[in-house]
Amino acid sequence: QVQLEESGGGVVQPGRSLKLSCVASGFIFSAYDMHWVRQAPGKGLEWVAVTSNDGNIQHYGDSVKGRLTISRDNSDNTLFLHMSSLRADDTATYFCARGRRGDWLILENWGQGTLVTVSS
Amino acid sequence: IQMTQSPSSLSASVGDRVSITCRASQNIKNFVNWYQQKPGKAPKLLISTTSNLQSGVPSRFSGSGSGTAFTLTINSLQPEDFASYYCQQIYMVPSTFGQGTRLEIK
């Protein structure tokens, strides 16, 4: 079955960088668009970014443009989120999610998330 | 596009019928999804493009609306339905979620 497992979260100082990973299994990774969605503690969901199945197209939420970069390695079934110039308001659980084939913004499957805490 | 969801919280009893509303800041046709999230868990897709119930989701869940106003209705609430619910517009990128509705047991 579809499995998505995020890793790479932790405590990081403001202004530093962090790279999250999401390893996919149970489906043909290279056939699906992939997303990152985040959720600050006790808050709602915020869509962060999407990459097309071939990695050629990316789109970002307004609050993360220029600081967060989504990428993927289809040979390794892995999705990444490179986070730079981190701020306190980037503190959140980061979920990776699979888009539906043919309708990429429908988030059909989700990982369990990895927590990023930005604090000095 | 901003999605304004209401109410932010709702208390109801098992067996009740409840409705949650999302209003979009512009016409998004029928491009709205609904998700359920339980504490400490990942969100789960319930309904896509306004009214398409996902496989395995009970028929007591339904979605309706178009343009700028959308509704998620749950008939005959069951204990497992007490959770948070989010709408998401998929009319254009960046996609955006509503603020969420916490459904609590009365």
Side-chain angles (χ1 to χ4, degrees):
Chain A
Q1 75 277 24
V2 173
Q3 289 196 322
L4 299 168
E5 185 169 352
E6 303 92 340
S7 62
V11 180
V12 60
Q13 293 179 328
R16 303 298 289 260
S17 298
L18 194 67
K19 189 172 186 177
L20 306 183
S21 301
C22 169
V23 176
S25 60
F27 65 101
I28 301 172
F29 182 68
S30 61
Y32 289 84
D33 308 313
M34 296 294 297
H35 300 251
W36 287 99
V37 175
R38 68 184 183 182
Q39 185 171 37
K43 302 297 184 183
L45 302 172
E46 180 185 9
W47 182 83
V48 171
V50 61
T51 179
S52 59
N53 66 307
D54 58 6
N56 287 336
I57 298 171
Q58 297 84 34
H59 291 286
Y60 295 92
D62 290 340
S63 67
V64 306
K65 249 178 229 179
R67 298 187 305 113
L68 275 56
T69 303
I70 189 171
S71 63
R72 63 192 296 160
D73 182 346
N74 283 347
S75 67
D76 220 12
N77 292 346
T78 305
L79 176 72
F80 300 104
L81 185 67
H82 185 253
M83 311 168 69
S84 63
S85 302
L86 282 163
R87 313 187 300 220
D89 62 359
D90 293 315
T91 294
T93 296
Y94 286 75
F95 297 98
C96 65
R98 189 185 83 169
R100 177 174 290 175
R101 287 195 72 181
D103 214 330
W104 68 337
L105 291 177
I106 296 176
L107 307 181
E108 285 192 308
N109 302 92
W110 297 63
Q112 287 306 303
T114 187
L115 177 62
V116 173
T117 302
V118 183
S119 173
S120 55
Chain B
I1 297 174
Q2 291 195 0
M3 300 297 286
T4 303
Q5 192 171 335
S6 61
S8 57
S9 65
L10 179 58
S11 292
S13 301
V14 172
D16 284 354
R17 178 176 186 261
V18 298
S19 292
I20 298 168
T21 297
C22 251
R23 293 196 176 273
S25 59
Q26 67 182 71
N27 186 343
I28 58 171
K29 301 187 178 181
N30 68 335
F31 292 106
V32 165
N33 300 331
W34 291 94
Y35 299 84
Q36 177 192 65
Q37 186 181 31
K38 296 183 178 179
K41 300 294 187 182
K44 172 188 172 183
L45 178 65
L46 293 178
I47 290 172
S48 62
T49 49
T50 297
S51 58
N52 293 295
L53 204 64
Q54 301 309 292
S55 174
V57 175
S59 60
R60 62 181 179 273
F61 290 89
S62 64
S64 63
S66 67
T68 60
F70 302 88
T71 301
L72 171 70
T73 300
I74 313 172
N75 287 301
S76 188
L77 275 170
Q78 297 301 299
E80 60 268 28
D81 301 335
F82 292 93
S84 293
Y85 293 86
Y86 295 91
C87 61
Q88 176 206 15
Q89 70 81 13
I90 58 169
Y91 180 71
M92 63 185 294
V93 287
S95 180
T96 42
F97 288 92
Q99 304 96 316
T101 295
R102 177 183 282 185
L103 177 54
E104 300 171 324
I105 301 176
K106 187 183 287 185

